[in-house]
Amino acid sequence: MAGNRAVVYTGPGKVEVSDIDFPGLVLRDGPGVNPRNVGRKCEHGVILKVVSTNICGSDQHMVRGRTTAPSGLVLGHEITGEVIEVGRDVEFIKKGDLVSVPFNIACGRCRSCKERNTNVCLNVNPDRPGSAYGYVDMGGWVGGQSEYVMVPYADFQLLKFPDKEQAMEKIRDLTMLSDIFPTGYHGAVSAGVRPGSTVYVAGAGPVGLAAAHSAQLLGAAVVIVGDLNGERLAQARSFGCETVNLSDHANLGEQIEQILGVPEVDSAIDCVGFEAHGHGHGHTEAPATVLNSIMEVTRAGGRLGIPGLYVTGDPGAIDNDAKVGTLKIRFGLGWAKSHTFVTGQTPVMQYHRELMMSILSGKAQIAKAVNATVISLDDAPRAYQEFDKGAARKFVIDPHGLIK
């Protein structure tokens, strides 16, 4: 049997590459595995040889110690791979297929899945609706920043690429289909972006850049990206976005007015989440800042897409309320302006096929937008450190050296 190596969270600020068990078609006990999931048989699943797996900002929240993730948790929910073993109950996915794995784990059988809300599947996490690989409080499904990984419910979930050779030529783009591209796109769709829209994207990390590119694909007239990091803002400008540097100027509306002539936009997207900082010189953590600021600058009757992560348990939060996800949000402002809010995990399967076709046709250039940077599995700890310091890159781990 082949060995298996993976990126493992070992404590706040620490990850390492470790030997772990080769996956089987069963969910074994281990760090973070819900006791009611231990021993769960997955003959509906497959074993993948991981071709690419990406480091996500959501992973970084755990690595910073800002969640209740246990030491020893295998990280990684953005997975693309080749099928090397199929379970007894798998009918349509075959050995040798190259596939994209939605980061949401979904059974395909429950009410949520049948209504296309695969982000809140009712059967994969005993604690609450919704699950993901390698993530705290998500049922304990083993992460995919590894050489091999098990994926359940293969026939329902997996997106097979129609041509393996063509897919490998575009793998830097296609690897984004597991999470970041659908998540950014969901943020833009939820915010009601359409041809001619003016759009504000809060955050120029990889999800923010993906949301900005998605807004362009949807026909936005102007996309404005705001951040505190000049390098990341330069990356947003590299593919045609306007930018505002919120470390220089605290008033977002004034900066938007300088670009558009009015201090408001049609749509706004929060791609920052619960570790948000205030604006202006000497900014410090203020987790409600982004939510309040996007309500201020979105026109009456506008929509807010909120793919940024918010959690119910944050041991490093600035106050006791924030530790349980209670933030000081100006909900009255949103009510007065008749805003529509859309939050939560992205239902990847609603979008990944159409986005795959956009990539294969050359319409979408998501790898360029997020500055995809391929690294080895052994380089992952260094990449986590660079990402934490604000590197304007999306790190793509290539565990087997398969990417040209």
Side-chain angles (χ1 to χ4, degrees):
M1 178 181 291
N4 196 16
R5 300 168 69 237
V7 181
V8 176
Y9 169 68
T10 58
K14 299 177 182 178
V15 299
E16 61 184 43
V17 178
S18 302
D19 292 324
I20 65 169
D21 290 339
F22 191 85
L25 296 173
V26 62
L27 184 52
R28 306 184 185 108
D29 197 7
V33 180
N34 189 296
R36 287 174 286 175
N37 260 353
V38 173
R40 187 168 179 162
K41 293 184 173 70
C42 296
E43 290 293 341
H44 42 64
V46 298
I47 308 298
L48 296 183
K49 179 180 181 178
V50 177
V51 171
S52 62
T53 176
N54 315 326
I55 295 175
C56 180
S58 299
D59 299 320
Q60 198 72 62
H61 291 305
M62 289 189 292
V63 172
R64 289 188 186 121
R66 296 298 298 267
T67 71
T68 55
S71 177
L73 185 73
V74 178
L75 299 169
H77 55 268
E78 302 190 16
I79 307 164
T80 305
E82 180 184 1
V83 177
I84 61 170
E85 181 181 339
V86 297
R88 178 192 62 217
D89 299 332
V90 177
E91 185 176 0
F92 304 111
I93 294 293
K94 305 299 182 185
K95 191 179 295 186
D97 287 347
L98 185 62
V99 297
S100 177
V101 182
F103 80 89
N104 332 101
I105 302 171
C107 72
R109 299 159 168 83
C110 69
R111 175 180 177 178
S112 289
C113 287
K114 289 177 179 179
E115 294 177 352
R116 301 186 73 211
N117 295 316
T118 54
N119 52 321
V120 283
C121 175
L122 303 176
N123 288 331
V124 288
N125 183 358
D127 284 334
R128 57 186 171 188
S131 190
Y133 303 89
Y135 212 83
V136 60
D137 297 333
M138 289 290 184
W141 300 89
V142 179
Q145 287 175 15
S146 56
E147 293 175 323
Y148 302 92
V149 68
M150 187 269 284
V151 174
Y153 306 107
D155 279 332
F156 175 64
Q157 295 193 102
L158 294 181
L159 177 66
K160 176 185 171 181
F161 300 136
D163 183 290
K164 287 177 70 174
E165 185 175 343
Q166 179 194 30
M168 288 305 297
E169 290 294 324
K170 291 183 174 286
I171 195 66
R172 287 174 174 80
D173 294 282
L174 294 171
T175 189
M176 307 303 168
L177 291 173
S178 57
D179 178 358
I180 180 178
F181 197 8
T183 293
Y185 192 79
H186 178 61
V189 170
S190 299
V193 177
R194 57 190 180 188
S197 294
T198 56
V199 184
Y200 174 66
V201 179
V207 170
L209 297 172
H213 184 48
S214 297
Q216 292 173 333
L217 291 173
L218 289 166
V222 182
V223 180
I224 304 169
V225 180
D227 204 291
L228 302 162
N229 181 319
E231 182 183 353
R232 288 182 168 180
L233 291 172
Q235 180 61 28
R237 289 192 296 274
S238 75
F239 60 96
C241 299
E242 300 285 345
T243 61
V244 293
N245 191 325
L246 296 165
S247 65
D248 295 336
H249 197 316
N251 192 309
L252 175 59
E254 288 182 0
Q255 294 196 76
I256 289 176
E257 187 171 18
Q258 290 174 9
I259 297 168
L260 298 178
V262 292
E264 63 181 16
V265 292
D266 297 318
S267 305
I269 310 168
D270 171 10
C271 298
V272 178
F274 73 102
E275 287 192 66
H277 276 229
H279 300 162
H281 298 291
H283 57 82
T284 57
E285 187 168 319
T289 297
V290 170
L291 293 171
N292 288 330
S293 66
I294 63 175
M295 283 190 282
E296 290 172 3
V297 301
T298 302
R299 66 174 176 83
R303 297 174 63 93
L304 312 178
I306 308 173
L309 175 67
Y310 290 87
V311 296
T312 56
D314 175 9
I318 60 171
D319 57 43
N320 288 331
D321 282 341
K323 286 181 179 179
V324 294
T326 301
L327 308 182
K328 296 178 180 178
I329 298 169
R330 292 186 63 195
F331 192 75
L333 176 61
W335 189 94
K337 296 177 80 172
S338 293
H339 283 158
T340 298
F341 301 76
V342 179
T343 67
Q345 279 191 43
T346 296
V348 170
M349 292 178 68
Q350 288 191 26
Y351 309 109
H352 64 175
R353 184 172 297 278
E354 63 196 62
L355 294 177
M356 175 186 72
M357 297 307 296
S358 295
I359 289 169
L360 294 178
S361 69
K363 180 71 172 177
Q365 304 287 333
I366 186 65
K368 177 182 177 183
V370 302
N371 194 16
T373 303
V374 178
I375 61 171
S376 69
L377 189 66
D378 288 319
D379 280 338
R382 174 189 57 80
Y384 268 99
Q385 293 176 352
E386 291 185 17
F387 192 35
D388 190 48
K389 294 175 182 177
R393 299 180 179 185
K394 176 68 171 177
F395 288 104
V396 176
I397 299 172
D398 176 8
H400 296 278
L402 297 174
I403 301 175
K404 292 180 182 178

